[in-house]
Amino acid sequence: MSDLHLHAVSSFSVVHFIIAGFTLFFAALAIRHRKAVGGTSFLMLMLVMCVYSAGYGFEVASADLESAMFFSNVQYLGIPFIPFFLYTLIWKYLRHTNVIPLKITFILLIIPVFTFFLHLTTDRHNLFYINPQLSFYEGLSILHFEKGIWYFINNLYTFFLVFMALVHCIVRFKKDKKYRNNIALLIAVTIFPFGGYILYITGLAPEHIDITPLSLGLSCPFLVIALFNMSLFDIVPVAREHIFENMDNGLIVTDSTDRLVDYNKSILGIFPELKKCRVGIYIRDIDLTDDGRKINLYQILNSNMTFVEEQDGEKHYYSIRKNVISQTRQFLGGIIYIVADITEEKKLEAKLHAMATTDPLTGLKNRRNLLEIGEKEIKHSVRYKRDLSVLFFDIDHFKKINDSWGHSAGDRVLIEIAQICKKQIRESDTIGRYGGEEFVILLPEIPYNSAIRVAEKIRSSIADKPILFEQQEINVTASFGVAAFNGDETLYELFNRADQLLYKAKDEGRNLVC
């Protein structure tokens, strides 16, 4: 072909070149997001919009019809494919998948491909442009033509895809509160260029000037917000509806700046405050209530490996695990917080701990736990120079009770004795079953004389209250040995002294305190 001829480039053309530059810039940014959901479609959409805007900038600067038609052909490398890539972007983003069935892709591409080739060869068949002409208006070259049948087919195709894209967005906008901000941006990015396109094809634009590229420029601020403020394509879970939403564990996804990107249904049972939050908000701005105090979500997720929430009067325990998502070594994609309900594990842990430290019959401390607590009390007494007393006692003639009444009666006696003792001592005191019918009570910060009075009180409570078993009364007594820590002995030595005093009480007639 002959050389292209341009007259002086007007400010109108410069504006289109700037818009082309913006879309090329966004395409470059989209390269690193191409693996994200909708990333490839967004990249291609920016490229075809760039070709369209730049081509039109040169068309209106053309000095002759041949040059104008050449740049019109350049534009059609992009124009027919804009609705296709816009629709696939919205399809992928709203469905959270990068996969579109091959059959659908093929069907949707038939008309754009035909449109490109029919426009390129329009002088041979007049199916697209008929009798194109060039006129000039205030320094701009305006291409005029009669419209062929394929021109209207392409317009119907464009209307259909844009309409379907808007329908998908509006339906999802009403259904999904969490993504409303992002979906609103998609709607805006769709409406502005489409509005300019309608004005152009209906002849309402001044002097048949195509204002669609200008309206594309108006959508750029929305793209800036989408990419930089709301991280529209940073992290969107693939197959979310089937995996992410149906996981038992609560999941929260944030970007590299701690903005909320996504969360699943399970997390709403733990943090119901998220129901009112939309993606894009900083998690530091999501306020929660924890034990009556105000705390934000960021603090909960990053300050503890576990936390406790009270639900319906019952405590629930949760663990937090963080997984960092990195798209490259230089780019921190974000964080997935996995919040697991470990209440049942905690209950099992408590049950196992109780089995290891508690006497199953009486519910008192068992011998092992009693010795552990005793060692701690000895150390505390030495360190702070505090009193510590120990009571040893056992049930008098317990074997006779078993032989006369049976072992069930013996068990009943042990249980009742345990309850009587618990009512007579402080919360800071410790009582345990040392073995068989023998019991031990640790009395921290109680001197010897006071310990004698405690023992006497328990002894009389046991003796004065017969134990009812199968509608018959069993009279029970107990013998006590009391020893006070001398500040320079082991727990074994302290227990041994109390035990010796217990046997002294038995030797002197039982039902005594020595």
Side-chain angles (χ1 to χ4, degrees), residues 228-329:
F228 296 106
N229 188 45
M230 301 191 65
S231 302
L232 188 62
F233 301 110
D234 272 357
I235 309 169
V236 180
V238 179
R240 178 179 177 278
E241 297 296 334
H242 301 287
I243 301 174
F244 188 82
E245 279 291 359
N246 294 312
M247 290 189 70
D248 292 332
N249 291 338
L251 300 177
I252 295 176
V253 184
T254 64
D255 66 9
S256 56
T257 61
D258 297 320
R259 286 193 300 257
L260 182 65
V261 173
D262 206 353
Y263 57 84
N264 68 351
K265 290 185 296 186
S266 296
I267 200 68
L268 296 178
I270 305 169
F271 301 126
E273 294 87 351
L274 281 171
K275 291 179 182 179
K276 302 176 182 178
C277 300
R278 297 177 184 173
V279 295
I281 186 174
Y282 288 96
I283 60 173
R284 286 186 176 88
D285 296 331
I286 301 175
D287 291 326
L288 309 171
T289 301
D290 181 54
D291 290 333
R293 62 191 177 98
K294 285 290 185 180
I295 189 170
N296 63 57
L297 183 59
Y298 179 87
Q299 291 172 298
I300 285 282
L301 295 176
N302 290 278
S303 60
N304 300 300
M305 295 301 292
T306 60
F307 66 96
V308 182
E309 287 277 318
E310 189 163 318
Q311 299 173 12
D312 299 325
E314 182 180 352
K315 286 186 176 181
H316 285 255
Y317 295 83
Y318 299 95
S319 68
I320 301 172
R321 189 169 76 251
K322 294 193 294 185
N323 290 338
V324 176
I325 307 169
S326 298
Q327 290 188 352
T328 68
R329 291 182 180 178

Side-chain angles (χ1 to χ4, degrees), residues 103-160:
K103 183 184 294 185
I104 294 177
T105 302
F106 178 76
I107 293 172
L108 293 179
L109 277 174
I110 290 176
I111 291 181
V113 171
F114 268 86
T115 297
F116 169 73
F117 284 106
L118 289 176
H119 182 278
L120 189 66
T121 58
T122 189
D123 56 333
R124 301 178 185 177
H125 46 66
N126 293 327
L127 290 175
F128 204 86
Y129 287 166
I130 301 173
N131 191 28
Q133 298 179 9
L134 194 66
S135 65
F136 301 92
Y137 173 74
E138 295 187 359
L140 301 179
S141 303
I142 309 299
L143 192 61
H144 296 274
F145 51 85
E146 295 178 25
K147 302 174 179 66
I149 184 65
W150 196 262
Y151 183 89
F152 294 104
I153 292 174
N154 182 64
N155 283 346
L156 287 174
Y157 168 82
T158 300
F159 272 107
F160 174 74

Side-chain angles (χ1 to χ4, degrees), residues 17-31 43 45-51 220:
F17 297 148
I18 292 173
I19 293 172
F22 268 116
T23 53
L24 188 61
F25 170 71
F26 285 125
L29 288 179
I31 291 175
L43 170 62
L45 178 62
M46 293 299 101
L47 289 176
V48 294
M49 286 169 63
C50 176
V51 171
C220 283

Side-chain angles (χ1 to χ4, degrees), residues 394-398 401 413-414 417 437 439 476-478 506:
D394 73 2
I395 302 169
D396 296 330
H397 303 297
F398 185 72
I401 294 173
V413 167
L414 293 173
I417 294 295
E437 69 273 22
F439 296 83
V476 179
T477 61
K506 284 184 174 292

Side-chain angles (χ1 to χ4, degrees), residues 1-7 55 58-75 119-120 122-123 126 129-136 140-146:
M1 62 171 295
S2 59
D3 294 338
L4 301 174
H5 300 93
L6 302 175
H7 51 65
F58 282 111
E59 179 187 313
V60 296
S62 298
D64 53 51
L65 178 61
E66 186 177 6
S67 298
M69 286 300 297
F70 173 82
F71 288 116
S72 180
N73 286 332
V74 170
Q75 292 172 67
H119 182 278
L120 189 66
T122 189
D123 56 333
N126 293 327
Y129 287 166
I130 301 173
N131 191 28
Q133 298 179 9
L134 194 66
S135 65
F136 301 92
L140 301 179
S141 303
I142 309 299
L143 192 61
H144 296 274
F145 51 85
E146 295 178 25

Side-chain angles (χ1 to χ4, degrees), residues 154-164 194 197-198 201:
N154 182 64
N155 283 346
L156 287 174
Y157 168 82
T158 300
F159 272 107
F160 174 74
L161 282 193
V162 172
F163 175 75
M164 290 303 297
F194 189 54
Y197 178 71
I198 291 176
I201 65 172

